[in-house]
Amino acid sequence: MMIKNERELATVLAALRLWQRGACGTTGSQALILGAAHAELAIASDDENLVPLTAAEIDELCERLNTQQDLPTVVLNIEGGAIHAVASNLPARCIILDADVEGSDWSGVTKIDGKDVQVIDVGMGGNAVPGCWSGRIDPVYVTGIAAQLGQ
């Protein structure tokens, strides 16, 4: 999950704090008495398959959400015009559009923005993308590359 902007983050934090004040650590009818709606309790417990977060766990989650999130970074190792490896510091999807289609297997060529391109779709962690390459999640490697670039 990626929070896209400050408004989304503020809403998530507010909802967490509201849940924390109203029903945290309670179940069933106790939560309803404290003002937590049954539907929200079902979400927090995945229909009673999970134990909802405690107040302390919500504090920790809010702190993590408030800290700067790492920017997803993807490193492509290309040699001789061919991709040899793909790594990222976080789960990511990397879609590579290769406009050098001369000599390509035309079954993999498609039009993007009106141009013929070979599409290479790489998934790293998270939910697998059907039909895509598999990259690796290697935060140590990616951070090392970024450090050598002075970032």
Side-chain angles (χ1 to χ4, degrees):
M1 176 190 79
M2 179 72 67
I3 295 174
K4 295 180 183 179
N5 57 48
E6 290 180 17
R7 287 180 59 231
E8 288 183 1
L9 176 60
T11 301
V12 169
L13 290 170
L16 283 167
R17 294 302 185 186
L18 183 63
W19 177 256
Q20 185 180 38
R21 277 198 311 270
C24 193
T26 64
T27 60
S29 61
Q30 293 172 318
L32 291 173
I33 291 168
L34 291 173
H38 182 72
E40 284 77 13
L41 181 60
I43 293 169
S45 67
D46 190 26
D47 288 323
E48 298 185 6
N49 291 313
L50 304 171
V51 176
L53 294 178
T54 66
E57 290 169 325
I58 289 176
D59 278 338
E60 182 182 321
L61 176 57
C62 288
E63 284 298 316
R64 284 197 324 260
L65 289 171
N66 267 323
T67 60
Q68 182 176 354
Q69 297 178 13
D70 286 338
L71 179 65
T73 303
V74 177
V75 175
L76 302 172
N77 290 336
I78 300 172
E79 190 174 318
I83 299 166
H84 288 269
V86 181
S88 67
N89 61 334
L90 297 167
R93 181 178 184 187
C94 179
I95 300 172
I96 302 158
L97 305 178
D98 184 354
D100 184 14
V101 296
E102 187 175 323
S104 291
D105 171 10
W106 283 91
S107 66
V109 174
T110 190
K111 285 208 182 291
I112 302 287
D113 292 333
K115 298 176 184 167
D116 287 333
V117 294
Q118 179 82 33
V119 177
I120 303 161
D121 199 349
V122 183
M124 290 146 295
N127 296 324
V129 178
C132 77
W133 287 19
S134 179
R136 72 183 197 276
I137 297 176
D138 190 343
V140 173
Y141 172 74
V142 173
T143 301
I145 297 293
Q148 292 177 58
L149 295 170
Q151 301 172 356

